[in-house]
Amino acid sequence: MGRVLVIGAGLAGLTAARLLSFEAPDREVIVIDKGRSVGGRLATRRLGPASLDHGAQFFTVRSEAFGATVDRWRTDGMVEEWCRGFGDDDGYPRYYAVAGMNALAKYLAKDLSVVTRQRANAIVPGPDRWAVAYEAATRDPDEADALIVTPPIPQALDLLTAGATVLPAECAESLGAVGYHKVIAILARLDRSPNLPLPGALQQPDHPVFSFVADNQVKGISDEPAVTCHMTHELSGRLWGADDASVLAHVDRDLRGLLGEAQTVEVHVKRWRYAAPIEPAAGPCMVAATRPGPLVLAGDGFSGSKVEGAFLSGRAAAAEVAKALTA
C-alpha cells in the first residue's frame, strides 16, 4: 500500500496521517516534525503551575465533516464548549481542549508513528521514490512513495528548492504569492484574576495593541490565573525585530490596563512568524507533483488559519494520496 511521509505534526499533518494509517493498516505512515512535541500552533505552555494556550485559543465548527470529528473528541473528553461568542452570542459554539490545545494534538498523535526533533531540509525526487534529507545529517534520509508537506508555504517551498524539486510554473507562482501575518503573544502568570468579562476573554479586532486576550484559568485549562495576549498583526510586524524587553516595554501600559489590580508573576514573549496566511492559496490542498509519486502540499496556508481549515486541508491531502496510491 506504499510508504507515506508526512512533514509537519500540526493538525493538518496529524489528520492526514490518521486517515491514511487507519484506512489501510498495512500502509506505513511516518510523521516528521522539527519541534520537541507535536501540535504546531496547537500549543500549550506551562509557567509554574499555570497552563497557557499560546497559539490557537479555540475553534468553531462550520462543516459536517469537522462536526462529526469534534463530536468524537467531545465523547472522548478531549474538548468542551467554552462559549458562543465573546460579547454577543452568535449561536456558534467556541470549543477548547480541556487539558490545553497541545493535549489535543498528543491525543491525535496516539497510535501514529511520529518522529520529533528532526528538521527536514530538502525534498529530493528520485527515479522511483521521494527522499527527504535532514539538517546536519541527524537522521538518514527517508524514502517514500508519497509525501504530504504541511509547514507554512514559504518553508515548504524552501524544502522543494533545496532538493531541486521543480514545480509547474502556475503552482510556483500561486504559492509564491502567499504571505503571512506575524503575531507576538504575551504570556503572563498572575497573582490574582484579571477579572476579564465572561467568558474570560476579549476579542477586540479594532484595538491598537491586543486583538485577543484570554484568562486560561477561567477558560478551564490552568490552575492559576494566567493570560494569553495576542498582539495585532500590524503591531506584531512593527515590533518583530525588537528584543523581548523592548516589546514588553512598548505594551506595558496597555497590559496593565487589562490586568487591573492583578500583578504579573512571570512574563514571556512568544513569536509566531507564520501565524496566519494573508490570503490563502486556492483549494484545501495542492497536488504539486505526481512523479515519482504524489507530492501534496497542505496546511493552513490553503484553508486559512482556523483549526477547522487545517483539519479539512489534512483530510483533503489524505484523500489525494490514497487515490494516487490505490490507482
Side-chain angles (χ1 to χ4, degrees), residues 103 201 267 307:
V267 183
V307 169

Side-chain angles (χ1 to χ4, degrees), residues 77-108:
M78 295 305 302
V79 305
E80 291 182 1
E81 183 177 325
W82 180 8
C83 62
R84 297 205 169 192
F86 303 98
D88 295 332
D89 182 341
D90 62 8
Y92 287 103
R94 272 68 168 174
Y95 295 99
Y96 74 102
V98 296
M101 286 295 199
N102 191 248
L104 177 60
K106 290 177 179 177
Y107 157 84
L108 296 174

Side-chain angles (χ1 to χ4, degrees), residues 34 40-43 45 53-57 119 152 155 180-187 228-233 235-251 267-276:
K34 65 183 179 182
R41 285 191 295 108
L42 296 180
R45 178 167 179 171
D53 284 335
H54 57 98
Q57 297 292 305
R119 183 186 293 269
Q155 294 180 332
Y180 283 77
H181 293 295
K182 298 180 175 72
V183 166
I184 299 176
I186 307 299
L187 314 177
T228 301
C229 306
H230 281 174
M231 292 167 54
T232 67
H233 295 154
L235 184 58
S236 295
R238 279 202 286 125
L239 295 180
W240 189 256
D243 59 33
D244 289 357
S246 298
V247 170
L248 291 171
H250 189 93
V251 303
V267 183
H268 287 265
V269 176
K270 167 67 182 178
R271 289 169 170 81
W272 295 101
R273 179 179 294 274
Y274 301 106

